Amino acid sequence: IAGITQAPTSQILAAGRRMTLRCTQDMRHNAMYWYRQDLGLGLRLIHYSNTAGTTGKGEVPDGYSVSRANTDDFPLTLASAVPSQTSVYFCASSPGTGMYNSPLHFGNGTRLTVT
Amino acid sequence: LAKTTQPISMDSYEGQEVNITCSHNNIATNDYITWYQQFPSQGPRFIIQGYKTKVTNEVASLFIPADRKSSTLSLPRVSLSDTAVYYCLVGGSSNTGKLIFGQGTTLQVKP
Protein backbone atom coordinates (compact mmCIF):
# COMPACT_ATOMS: atom_id res chain seq x y z
CA ILE A 1 0.00 0.00 0.00
CA ALA A 2 1.43 3.36 -1.02
CA GLY A 3 2.12 5.81 1.75
CA ILE A 4 4.58 6.94 4.37
CA THR A 5 6.52 4.60 6.60
CA GLN A 6 8.03 5.83 9.83
CA ALA A 7 10.44 3.89 12.03
CA PRO A 8 10.69 3.14 14.82
CA THR A 9 7.11 3.20 16.06
CA SER A 10 8.29 4.11 19.52
CA GLN A 11 11.60 4.57 21.30
CA ILE A 12 12.91 5.29 24.77
CA LEU A 13 16.18 7.17 24.59
CA ALA A 14 18.64 8.28 27.22
CA ALA A 15 19.42 11.98 27.31
CA GLY A 16 22.57 12.86 25.41
CA ARG A 17 22.22 10.02 22.93
CA ARG A 18 21.99 10.47 19.18
CA MET A 19 18.87 9.26 17.40
CA THR A 20 17.66 9.20 13.80
CA LEU A 21 13.98 8.87 13.02
CA ARG A 22 13.40 7.36 9.62
CA CYS A 23 10.76 8.37 7.09
CA THR A 24 10.22 6.86 3.67
CA GLN A 25 7.51 7.58 1.12
CA ASP A 26 6.72 5.68 -2.08
CA MET A 27 4.42 8.23 -3.70
CA ARG A 28 7.21 10.18 -5.44
CA HIS A 29 6.07 13.32 -3.65
CA ASN A 30 8.33 16.34 -4.01
CA ALA A 31 7.82 17.87 -0.58
CA MET A 32 8.36 16.29 2.84
CA TYR A 33 7.93 17.55 6.38
CA TRP A 34 8.64 16.72 9.99
CA TYR A 35 6.23 17.78 12.73
CA ARG A 36 6.21 17.20 16.45
CA GLN A 37 3.01 16.98 18.42
CA ASP A 38 2.77 17.79 22.10
CA LEU A 39 -0.32 17.92 24.28
CA GLY A 40 -1.89 21.36 24.16
CA LEU A 41 0.45 22.63 21.47
CA GLY A 42 -0.91 20.96 18.37
CA LEU A 43 1.39 20.12 15.47
CA ARG A 44 4.55 22.18 15.10
CA LEU A 45 6.74 22.13 12.01
CA ILE A 46 10.38 21.20 12.65
CA HIS A 47 11.93 21.05 9.19
CA TYR A 48 10.73 20.68 5.65
CA SER A 49 12.07 19.89 2.19
CA ASN A 50 10.50 21.22 -0.99
CA THR A 51 12.47 18.85 -3.20
CA ALA A 52 15.37 16.43 -3.02
CA GLY A 53 18.57 18.23 -2.15
CA THR A 54 16.93 21.14 -0.33
CA THR A 55 15.76 21.63 3.25
CA GLY A 56 14.35 24.45 5.31
CA LYS A 57 13.64 25.33 8.93
CA GLY A 58 10.16 25.31 10.40
CA GLU A 59 8.83 26.69 13.68
CA VAL A 60 10.95 24.63 16.07
CA PRO A 61 14.17 23.49 14.32
CA ASP A 62 16.64 23.78 17.21
CA GLY A 63 18.16 20.47 18.26
CA TYR A 64 17.14 18.74 15.04
CA SER A 65 18.71 18.23 11.64
CA VAL A 66 17.44 16.72 8.41
CA SER A 67 18.76 15.63 5.05
CA ARG A 68 17.08 14.91 1.73
CA ALA A 69 19.50 12.91 -0.37
CA ASN A 70 16.75 11.47 -2.56
CA THR A 71 13.02 11.85 -3.18
CA ASP A 72 11.87 9.01 -0.97
CA ASP A 73 13.76 9.45 2.31
CA PHE A 74 13.73 12.27 4.84
CA PRO A 75 15.46 11.27 8.10
CA LEU A 76 15.30 13.44 11.20
CA THR A 77 18.30 13.40 13.55
CA LEU A 78 18.54 14.42 17.16
CA ALA A 79 22.26 14.94 17.73
CA SER A 80 22.07 14.93 21.52
CA ALA A 81 18.60 14.22 22.84
CA VAL A 82 17.12 16.21 25.72
CA PRO A 83 13.95 15.47 27.74
CA SER A 84 12.10 18.38 26.10
CA GLN A 85 12.29 16.46 22.85
CA THR A 86 9.93 13.86 24.25
CA SER A 87 7.07 13.99 21.78
CA VAL A 88 5.24 12.24 18.98
CA TYR A 89 6.95 12.89 15.65
CA PHE A 90 5.04 12.84 12.39
CA CYS A 91 6.51 12.74 8.93
CA ALA A 92 4.42 13.97 6.01
CA SER A 93 4.71 14.46 2.28
CA SER A 94 2.83 16.32 -0.44
CA PRO A 95 2.96 16.24 -4.24
CA GLY A 96 3.86 19.93 -4.45
CA THR A 97 4.77 22.77 -2.12
CA GLY A 98 1.68 24.89 -2.57
CA MET A 99 -1.61 24.43 -0.76
CA TYR A 100 -3.85 23.98 -3.78
CA ASN A 101 -4.66 20.40 -4.67
CA SER A 102 -1.56 19.18 -2.82
CA PRO A 103 -2.76 17.68 0.45
CA LEU A 104 -0.37 16.40 3.07
CA HIS A 105 -0.07 12.66 3.62
CA PHE A 106 1.04 11.69 7.11
CA GLY A 107 2.73 8.66 8.58
CA ASN A 108 1.53 7.08 11.81
CA GLY A 109 4.15 8.74 13.94
CA THR A 110 7.08 7.85 16.18
CA ARG A 111 6.57 8.17 19.91
CA LEU A 112 9.88 9.24 21.44
CA THR A 113 10.59 9.41 25.15
CA VAL A 114 13.86 10.97 26.29
CA THR A 115 14.79 10.10 29.87
CA LEU B 1 0.81 32.36 5.83
CA ALA B 2 -2.37 33.72 7.33
CA LYS B 3 -2.87 32.98 11.02
CA THR B 4 -5.95 30.97 11.91
CA THR B 5 -8.09 30.89 15.04
CA GLN B 6 -10.39 28.02 15.95
CA PRO B 7 -12.27 27.02 19.10
CA ILE B 8 -10.15 24.72 21.25
CA SER B 9 -12.95 22.22 21.82
CA MET B 10 -16.55 21.40 20.97
CA ASP B 11 -19.06 18.81 22.14
CA SER B 12 -21.86 17.27 20.14
CA TYR B 13 -24.22 14.29 20.15
CA GLU B 14 -24.61 11.53 17.62
CA GLY B 15 -26.82 12.46 14.69
CA GLN B 16 -26.32 16.21 15.03
CA GLU B 17 -24.76 18.51 12.48
CA VAL B 18 -21.52 20.06 13.68
CA ASN B 19 -20.13 23.35 12.42
CA ILE B 20 -16.56 24.36 13.24
CA THR B 21 -15.60 27.90 12.32
CA CYS B 22 -12.08 29.09 11.59
CA SER B 23 -11.10 32.77 11.49
CA HIS B 24 -8.39 33.91 9.08
CA ASN B 25 -8.62 37.69 8.90
CA ASN B 26 -5.34 38.12 7.03
CA ILE B 27 -6.05 35.64 4.24
CA ALA B 28 -4.31 36.59 0.99
CA THR B 29 -5.84 36.65 -2.45
CA ASN B 30 -4.18 33.43 -3.59
CA ASP B 31 -4.68 31.51 -0.32
CA TYR B 32 -6.70 28.31 -0.11
CA ILE B 33 -8.43 26.96 2.99
CA THR B 34 -7.77 23.36 3.92
CA TRP B 35 -9.11 21.21 6.75
CA TYR B 36 -7.53 18.11 8.27
CA GLN B 37 -8.86 15.52 10.71
CA GLN B 38 -6.75 13.65 13.24
CA PHE B 39 -7.77 10.57 15.20
CA PRO B 40 -5.87 9.50 18.32
CA SER B 41 -2.57 7.76 17.60
CA GLN B 42 -2.74 8.61 13.90
CA GLY B 43 -1.40 11.34 11.67
CA PRO B 44 -3.82 13.97 10.33
CA ARG B 45 -5.65 13.26 7.10
CA PHE B 46 -6.99 15.67 4.49
CA ILE B 47 -10.75 16.33 4.62
CA ILE B 48 -11.61 19.19 2.29
CA GLN B 49 -10.23 22.27 0.57
CA GLY B 50 -11.86 25.38 -0.85
CA TYR B 51 -11.27 28.88 -2.14
CA LYS B 52 -14.68 30.54 -2.00
CA THR B 53 -18.41 29.81 -1.65
CA LYS B 54 -19.21 26.18 -0.89
CA VAL B 55 -17.42 22.91 -1.42
CA THR B 56 -18.91 19.51 -0.61
CA ASN B 57 -17.50 16.01 -0.66
CA GLU B 58 -18.49 12.67 0.83
CA VAL B 59 -17.14 13.63 4.25
CA ALA B 60 -17.98 17.28 4.84
CA SER B 61 -18.96 20.66 3.47
CA LEU B 62 -16.91 23.82 3.59
CA PHE B 63 -18.62 27.21 3.61
CA ILE B 64 -16.59 30.31 2.79
CA PRO B 65 -18.23 33.77 2.85
CA ALA B 66 -17.52 36.37 0.22
CA ASP B 67 -14.88 38.20 2.30
CA ARG B 68 -13.07 34.88 2.98
CA LYS B 69 -12.06 36.01 6.45
CA SER B 70 -13.55 32.90 7.96
CA SER B 71 -14.64 29.43 6.94
CA THR B 72 -16.93 26.81 8.44
CA LEU B 73 -16.43 23.09 8.28
CA SER B 74 -19.78 21.31 8.45
CA LEU B 75 -20.03 17.65 9.43
CA PRO B 76 -23.52 16.25 8.80
CA ARG B 77 -25.04 13.79 11.28
CA VAL B 78 -21.90 13.06 13.27
CA SER B 79 -21.23 9.68 14.82
CA LEU B 80 -18.95 8.62 17.64
CA SER B 81 -16.25 7.89 15.08
CA ASP B 82 -16.10 11.57 14.16
CA THR B 83 -14.51 12.31 17.54
CA ALA B 84 -11.19 13.81 16.49
CA VAL B 85 -9.14 16.97 16.27
CA TYR B 86 -9.90 19.21 13.29
CA TYR B 87 -7.30 21.61 11.90
CA CYS B 88 -7.83 24.60 9.63
CA LEU B 89 -4.92 25.72 7.44
CA VAL B 90 -4.66 28.68 5.12
CA GLY B 91 -1.99 29.05 2.47
CA GLY B 92 -1.29 29.91 -1.12
CA SER B 93 0.26 28.37 -4.18
CA SER B 94 3.78 29.47 -3.31
CA ASN B 95 4.23 29.16 0.42
CA THR B 96 7.69 27.62 0.26
CA GLY B 97 6.31 24.49 1.91
CA LYS B 98 6.09 25.92 5.43
CA LEU B 99 2.68 24.50 6.26
CA ILE B 100 1.89 25.28 9.87
CA PHE B 101 -0.90 23.76 11.94
CA GLY B 102 -2.47 25.44 14.92
CA GLN B 103 -3.88 23.70 17.98
CA GLY B 104 -6.98 22.57 16.16
CA THR B 105 -10.49 21.96 17.50
CA THR B 106 -11.10 18.84 19.56
CA LEU B 107 -14.56 17.54 18.74
CA GLN B 108 -16.09 15.13 21.23
CA VAL B 109 -19.18 13.30 19.99
CA LYS B 110 -21.30 11.80 22.74
CA PRO B 111 -23.88 9.00 22.49
Side-chain angles (χ1 to χ4, degrees), chain A residues 5-86:
Chain A
T5 302
Q6 291 186 238
T9 302
S10 65
Q11 181 75 46
I12 299 174
L13 185 68
R17 297 295 296 269
R18 180 185 179 91
M19 173 78 189
T20 295
L21 307 185
R22 300 185 298 278
C23 176
T24 300
Q25 54 109 353
D26 60 3
M27 298 172 283
R28 306 303 292 173
H29 285 175
N30 285 316
M32 297 189 74
Y33 315 82
W34 274 105
Y35 290 86
R36 60 176 290 175
Q37 186 167 39
D38 304 288
L39 194 63
L41 296 176
L43 283 155
R44 293 182 292 169
L45 181 66
I46 305 171
H47 285 286
Y48 66 96
S49 169
N50 287 339
T51 189
T54 69
T55 62
K57 295 181 179 180
E59 300 172 86
V60 289
D62 294 343
Y64 305 95
S65 63
V66 291
S67 62
R68 186 87 184 277
N70 56 61
T71 297
D72 298 342
D73 301 299
F74 192 43
L76 176 73
T77 298
L78 290 68
S80 180
V82 295
S84 62
Q85 291 178 311
T86 293

Side-chain angles (χ1 to χ4, degrees), chain B residues 11-18 75-83 107-111:
Chain B
D11 289 338
S12 183
Y13 291 91
E14 282 191 291
Q16 290 187 334
E17 178 184 77
V18 171
L75 304 172
R77 298 180 298 281
V78 295
S79 64
L80 296 176
S81 62
D82 291 315
T83 293
L107 172 65
Q108 180 69 50
V109 180
K110 303 176 182 179

Side-chain angles (χ1 to χ4, degrees), chain B:
Chain B
L1 294 174
K3 178 178 171 60
T4 61
T5 303
Q6 308 173 229
I8 295 296
S9 64
M10 294 181 68
D11 289 338
S12 183
Y13 291 91
E14 282 191 291
Q16 290 187 334
E17 178 184 77
V18 171
N19 296 309
I20 305 174
T21 297
C22 178
S23 297
H24 27 80
N25 292 319
N26 296 321
I27 190 169
T29 302
N30 64 347
D31 282 347
Y32 289 82
I33 301 155
T34 310
W35 286 80
Y36 287 83
Q37 174 190 55
Q38 184 179 24
F39 297 115
S41 302
Q42 295 184 24
R45 71 176 187 124
F46 170 85
I47 302 177
I48 197 166
Q49 183 178 76
Y51 184 80
K52 61 181 179 180
T53 64
K54 177 184 175 182
V55 179
T56 297
N57 62 22
E58 65 278 5
V59 177
S61 294
L62 179 60
F63 297 93
I64 305 168
D67 67 5
R68 305 199 326 120
K69 293 184 183 300
S70 67
S71 58
T72 299
L73 176 73
S74 181
L75 304 172
R77 298 180 298 281
V78 295
S79 64
L80 296 176
S81 62
D82 291 315
T83 293
V85 180
Y86 293 82
Y87 296 94
C88 166
L89 277 75
V90 173
S93 60
S94 58
N95 63 359
T96 71
K98 296 182 73 171
L99 300 176
I100 297 175
F101 288 69
Q103 292 191 47
T105 298
T106 298
L107 172 65
Q108 180 69 50
V109 180
K110 303 176 182 179

